[in-house]
Amino acid sequence: MVQERRQSVKQYNKNRVFRFIAARKRVSKQEIAAELGLSLPTTTQNLNALKEEGLITENGTFESQVGRKARAISIVPGFRVAVGLDITPHHISLVLADLNGDIIDHLRKGFTISSDEASYLALRDDIETFIRKNRIRPEQILGMGISIPGIIAFDHKTIVEADTLPVPNHFCQIMQEFFSFPCRILNDASCAGVAEFWRNDYENQTIVYLLLSNTVGGAILINGAPYAGMTNRSGEFGHMTIVPGGRHCSCGKDGCAEAYCSALVLSGHTDNNLETFFRELDSGNREFEALVDRYLEDLAILINNVNLSLDCPVVLGGYMGAYLKRYLGRIRELVRERCTFVTDGLYVQPCACEFEAAALGAAISYIEEFIKNI
């Protein structure tokens, strides 16, 4: 028992040292010891173990006016990598992420997946080509996270429900047969929320990530981990009723938030191209200005409902995330007016991760698992 406890403390310190180096990018041994409250011999022991495993390297020296220059230490970010694949009804996004959670490379292309072998083989070929292009060895790859708009079983292998994608429940197992590294399937909003947590300083906090893309979803993240709920469908904010008897939703019900707050509400006026919509808006299109005003009012209803339920920061992400930053003041004003309680509305936050958040979060699921076991 004593030996196990010692081993546990040893691994805990080793993990803390690695995470500290990763967070600071480039540090000295003395900084690590001082910041983590470790003795220099203990710090040296952990650094030697990490170096032997190939996880860290010396990265030059720091400038010093007196005495010997301290050696700089960094992690080896490409020691292991993970693949993230985000599948939507009309395109796929691929990212390759390193141990820092940084994107090494990415690919987005039009792709309409169907439930047949030819479609699966075409997807396999795209993934293999992407990996080869980056000269990544199979043994470097921790795994591939597959992000989809749907409800996933707790085993992360089975799709419970994905109305917008014509794929079978065992889609993950089909993809697994093509690759030697492990695969898992994940909800897109949860993945995007995980990426957001990595990109921003939300340590020891609970946040809501609101995915405002062609569908509307969400995730509740408690210190970086998605809260699953009883049936792994927590955060389905897109199917909260905000207008009883209102517009028809893709789920078959009427008045859902998704029918009022998805990107399609705006991009549907420009052949589903959001960039074109805002370009025309900026050129003075009065009709589009009215559409945005109505969109923001509906969005404020959804945000207020979410905040009244959970009382935590609400991060606006998805395709709309970057475009809503210009309206942040207006959104906060609208939620202030609607809220029963006194609020400054500052709990509404813009997303920090604007680029391929769902795909990146899918990859990070493997990176975080790997780091936990260092």
Side-chain angles (χ1 to χ4, degrees), residues 59 83 180 371:
N59 186 10
V83 180
S180 59
I371 291 175

Side-chain angles (χ1 to χ4, degrees), residues 293-360:
D293 286 344
R294 179 70 257 178
Y295 177 90
L296 296 179
E297 289 176 9
D298 293 331
L299 179 60
I301 294 173
L302 175 60
I303 293 170
N304 182 60
N305 289 348
V306 170
N307 182 255
L308 284 174
S309 300
L310 296 166
D311 193 24
C312 67
V314 178
V315 179
L316 306 181
Y319 300 160
M320 288 295 297
Y323 294 101
L324 289 174
K325 289 183 177 181
R326 65 170 87 176
Y327 300 109
L328 198 58
R330 176 60 178 154
I331 294 169
R332 288 170 172 168
E333 179 184 339
L334 288 168
V335 297
R336 282 199 304 269
E337 292 172 356
R338 181 160 292 279
C339 188
T340 305
F341 307 103
V342 176
T343 176
D344 56 13
L346 294 178
Y347 69 83
V348 183
Q349 296 289 322
C351 63
C353 188
E354 297 180 7
F355 183 71
E356 303 296 13
L360 177 59

Side-chain angles (χ1 to χ4, degrees), residues 57-118:
T57 186
E58 290 184 0
N59 186 10
T61 57
F62 290 105
E63 291 298 323
S64 175
Q65 299 298 321
V66 294
R68 184 184 298 176
K69 293 180 180 179
R71 294 176 180 177
I73 302 161
S74 300
I75 73 165
V76 180
F79 179 74
R80 291 286 185 270
V81 300
V83 180
L85 167 66
D86 181 40
I87 305 176
T88 78
H90 304 295
H91 78 269
I92 60 167
S93 295
L94 275 164
V95 302
L96 199 63
D98 63 22
L99 292 180
N100 277 323
D102 292 331
I103 295 176
I104 300 168
D105 194 11
H106 67 93
L107 167 72
R108 175 179 282 217
K109 64 175 288 187
F111 192 102
T112 303
I113 196 163
S114 57
S115 189
D116 60 61
E117 187 176 7

Side-chain angles (χ1 to χ4, degrees), residues 75-346:
I75 73 165
V76 180
F79 179 74
R80 291 286 185 270
V81 300
V83 180
L85 167 66
D86 181 40
I87 305 176
T88 78
H90 304 295
H91 78 269
I92 60 167
S93 295
L94 275 164
V95 302
L96 199 63
D98 63 22
L99 292 180
N100 277 323
D102 292 331
I103 295 176
I104 300 168
D105 194 11
H106 67 93
L107 167 72
R108 175 179 282 217
K109 64 175 288 187
F111 192 102
T112 303
I113 196 163
S114 57
S115 189
D116 60 61
E117 187 176 7
S119 180
Y120 305 146
L121 292 174
L123 184 55
R124 177 205 64 185
D125 291 347
D126 282 337
I127 296 167
E128 288 182 342
T129 300
F130 180 68
I131 292 170
R132 280 199 305 271
K133 173 196 167 191
N134 285 280
R135 299 179 181 177
I136 299 296
R137 304 183 309 278
E139 60 270 23
Q140 275 181 273
I141 300 174
L142 295 169
M144 178 169 68
I146 305 169
S147 158
I148 69 162
I151 298 170
I152 313 302
F154 284 104
D155 62 4
H156 294 301
K157 298 292 182 185
T158 309
I159 299 173
V160 176
E161 190 175 324
D163 293 337
T164 60
L165 292 181
V167 293
N169 292 349
H170 64 291
F171 174 72
C172 187
Q173 289 92 315
I174 293 171
M175 297 305 296
Q176 182 65 81
E177 292 175 6
F178 296 136
F179 303 105
S180 59
F181 46 81
C183 300
R184 63 171 58 125
I185 199 154
L186 305 147
N187 171 264
D188 57 350
S190 293
C191 289
V194 166
E196 180 67 25
F197 218 93
W198 268 63
R199 281 285 180 271
N200 217 326
D201 185 19
Y202 291 115
E203 188 175 357
N204 298 320
Q205 289 190 54
T206 295
I207 69 165
V208 164
Y209 180 87
L210 201 53
L211 182 78
L212 302 166
S213 292
N214 289 347
T215 58
V216 174
I220 303 165
L221 292 115
I222 303 171
N223 199 22
Y227 168 70
M230 294 186 296
T231 56
N232 210 18
R233 56 181 172 84
S234 171
E236 286 291 333
F237 304 120
H239 300 294
M240 295 173 70
T241 303
I242 63 170
V243 182
R247 296 175 194 162
H248 195 64
C249 180
S250 62
C251 72
K253 305 294 184 182
D254 295 327
C256 294
E258 184 169 297
Y260 293 85
C261 301
S262 82
L264 293 173
V265 172
L266 302 181
S267 66
H269 296 270
T270 50
D271 293 327
N272 295 340
N273 189 313
L274 205 55
E275 184 179 356
T276 301
F277 177 91
F278 279 95
R279 188 164 55 243
E280 291 192 23
L281 175 72
D282 290 339
S283 69
N285 188 315
R286 294 295 180 86
E287 180 188 349
F288 284 11
E289 287 178 8
L291 287 170
V292 170
D293 286 344
R294 179 70 257 178
Y295 177 90
L296 296 179
E297 289 176 9
D298 293 331
L299 179 60
I301 294 173
L302 175 60
I303 293 170
N304 182 60
N305 289 348
V306 170
N307 182 255
L308 284 174
S309 300
L310 296 166
D311 193 24
C312 67
V314 178
V315 179
L316 306 181
Y319 300 160
M320 288 295 297
Y323 294 101
L324 289 174
K325 289 183 177 181
R326 65 170 87 176
Y327 300 109
L328 198 58
R330 176 60 178 154
I331 294 169
R332 288 170 172 168
E333 179 184 339
L334 288 168
V335 297
R336 282 199 304 269
E337 292 172 356
R338 181 160 292 279
C339 188
T340 305
F341 307 103
V342 176
T343 176
D344 56 13
L346 294 178

